[in-house]
Amino acid sequence: MKLHFKRSFFSLLAFIFLLTTSQLVAQTYAKNGMVVSANKASSEVGVEILKKGGNAIDAAVATAFSLAVTHPAAGNIGGGGFIVFMKTDGDVTTFDFREKAPLASTPTMFLGEDGKVKDNSNHDSLLAVGVPGTVAGLYAAHQKYGKLPWKDVVQPAVDQAENGFEFIWSLYFTAQRFKKATEYPLMVSYFDDDNGEITEPGKLWKQKALANTLKHIRDKGRDGFYKGEVAQKIEDYMKANGGIITKEDLAKYDAVERKAVKGTYKGYDIYGMPPPSSGGATLIQMMNTMELVDWETIEFNSTSYVHVVAEAMRRGFADRAEYLGDPDFNPEMPVDKLISKAHAKNRFENLDMKRASVSDSVKFGHPYDGKDTTHFSVIDKDGNAVSLTYTLEHGYGVKMGSKELGFIFNNEMGDFNAVPGVTTSGYQIGTPPNLIAPEKRMLSSMTPTIVGKNGKPYLVIGSPGGRTIINTVFQTTLNVLEFNMRIDKAIEAMKIHHQWFPDVLTYEKHLMSPDTKKALEAMGHKLSARTSLGVLMGITFDTETGIITGASDSARPDGGAVGY
Ligand code: DON
């Protein structure tokens, strides 16, 4: 009896300690499960599903649909993305629900007579829309691994869209911007209340048309989107406004379960997304390079640290540009070679610790690396973990869509190499693996990642940020595995970015010392400052204590780690 009392007394103390600490620091602790996403209300939706007995996949599906309501800049049903899923037994699989090029697309579809991309049409026209994959991907993952009924995991998003959720300031600012953007009729009134005014912060924002579309998906599964009324309305909208996606495109779309790419770092297992994302392979290649570094001689954030990390990035991105694309169209891609320890050793050999390498002008970069993709991480009480990143490409995608359907289409076709054969030392890549072809998936940088330790999840992490995604996930992973940082510190620590071309080393303003900057410039690096890099949403799991720790990047104040 006494012992029993003592035990509960100490449990209470521990609980109060955890409660208070979780309010004092940027971390959240839990024992049974957690969701960390870019919108706290959506993290709560996911955790409610866990509490109802759902597993990590159920919670991920519910969170993803919810973010399509609460975070429409990137949360979506009109875009695509990737899931990395670690099961209780330590086995890892992935789901590829990247958008596909429509059947009527061609390699030169965006070019004008001068051979250049016409009027930014690969991003700013309905031709830029890839066949959406999100609903098919979430459905496929749920069919195979979900526990709760499909309807139960879609319903919370229907409720949020139908009954409204608290309109947050970030949406309010965006709404004001779009009010004047008459070229995007859907967006002008997207955030309005019933009186046709922008919803006031703190009031409920309702999205009736989106709620109706979500009901079709809730009631009919993937067919609720890819067939029937919704598919017909998508085709009608496309036809009426110059798009090329048809009901046939939608009916033919498939999400694919693929084998994860796997690497190791000093005893940890790193699992990532295989192509058509370049994220997993490039991350593993760079981590392999880091394994060759003598960390006894290099301080975190020192000049040598920044130099060696940047050089690993330069090499990783050079290979990415040369080799990677949709595996269904590039059967010979040397992914196994790229992620091998031997390849990293080769790449490390010509790395001069005193001098920046020069990016040669055959491999290239990409101009867009905003923050409007979204990542979330989930873990459940049985140790299932989900790392999910999905996107519309730009913030609010192509900013177009049918008012009747209430969702926004992606502009993911912009991720293909638009000008075949033309590669410049600026941003343009024209290499073959990522040229447009009907039903091909465009190369991505999304890097949902799970690090395992002894067959259990150890770190679940990912970020938005275009090409910077690979590098911010890489550095956060290194921070946890090599420097033993707490997850919040690992997320907030200074990030840099190098993508081979343009040959520029980007760093987070205010976080690099003037001395380091000078020393790096003297080594030949061309520096460029950026307010921040990455919006990381991460979970770590302590296999000994069973404590789950989560943190959401301060770059996204609406985000939240919610556990129970
Ligand atoms: O798949 C990709 O790599 C890009 N479409 C992601 C775009 C992105 O991350 C934009 N904002 N963060």
Side-chain angles (χ1 to χ4, degrees), residues 280-337:
T282 312
L283 169 77
I284 289 169
Q285 177 179 344
M286 297 191 301
M287 288 301 287
N288 284 339
T289 314
M290 292 298 101
E291 219 175 26
L292 301 168
V293 173
D294 177 5
W295 290 110
E296 292 292 311
T297 62
I298 296 182
E299 284 270 331
F300 179 74
N301 260 4
S302 61
T303 304
S304 303
Y305 165 89
V306 175
H307 174 67
V308 80
V309 168
E311 292 302 329
M313 291 171 175
R314 188 197 302 273
R315 286 156 177 74
F317 272 78
D319 287 338
R320 172 195 188 276
E322 184 158 354
Y323 297 112
L324 300 180
D326 183 343
D328 298 339
F329 286 72
N330 297 284
E332 307 293 325
M333 266 186 307
V335 175
D336 288 341
K337 179 186 155 199

Side-chain angles (χ1 to χ4, degrees), residues 82 98 320 368-373 391 393-394 412 415 443-446 464-467 469:
F82 303 104
R98 182 70 160 165
R320 172 195 188 276
Y368 187 73
D369 50 12
K371 289 190 172 134
D372 289 314
T373 291
T391 189
E393 161 64 346
H394 284 177
E412 217 76 56
D415 273 355
L443 183 64
S444 172
S445 299
M446 290 189 272
R467 290 183 183 206
I469 295 175

Side-chain angles (χ1 to χ4, degrees), residues 226-401:
Y226 294 91
K227 290 185 178 161
E229 201 178 312
V230 171
Q232 183 64 54
K233 283 189 173 145
I234 292 175
E235 182 178 276
D236 294 347
Y237 175 78
M238 288 287 164
K239 270 195 184 147
N241 294 283
I244 54 173
I245 292 179
T246 62
K247 282 191 293 184
E248 191 187 356
D249 279 305
L250 294 161
K252 282 187 95 169
Y253 183 85
D254 55 340
V256 190
E257 185 171 7
R258 297 188 194 274
K259 191 169 176 287
V261 284
K262 182 184 173 199
T264 58
Y265 187 83
K266 300 187 179 176
Y268 296 97
D269 297 314
I270 302 173
Y271 298 97
M273 201 60 221
S277 184
S278 58
T282 312
L283 169 77
I284 289 169
Q285 177 179 344
M286 297 191 301
M287 288 301 287
N288 284 339
T289 314
M290 292 298 101
E291 219 175 26
L292 301 168
V293 173
D294 177 5
W295 290 110
E296 292 292 311
T297 62
I298 296 182
E299 284 270 331
F300 179 74
N301 260 4
S302 61
T303 304
S304 303
Y305 165 89
V306 175
H307 174 67
V308 80
V309 168
E311 292 302 329
M313 291 171 175
R314 188 197 302 273
R315 286 156 177 74
F317 272 78
D319 287 338
R320 172 195 188 276
E322 184 158 354
Y323 297 112
L324 300 180
D326 183 343
D328 298 339
F329 286 72
N330 297 284
E332 307 293 325
M333 266 186 307
V335 175
D336 288 341
K337 179 186 155 199
L338 295 180
I339 64 175
S340 69
K341 300 282 181 197
H343 182 67
K345 212 158 169 250
N346 255 339
R347 289 307 230 161
F348 194 72
E349 260 162 21
N350 67 355
L351 195 161
D352 181 344
M353 278 309 288
K354 301 231 168 328
R355 204 62 220 154
S357 309
V358 176
S359 297
D360 83 42
S361 55
V362 222
K363 326 259 172 24
F364 307 87
H366 187 282
Y368 187 73
D369 50 12
K371 289 190 172 134
D372 289 314
T373 291
T374 193
H375 175 85
F376 61 87
S377 297
V378 183
I379 191 163
D380 69 20
K381 65 177 172 33
D382 299 318
N384 296 292
V386 170
S387 194
L388 189 153
T389 313
Y390 68 155
T391 189
L392 292 168
E393 161 64 346
H394 284 177
Y396 299 93
V398 75
K399 303 168 189 70
M400 293 182 238

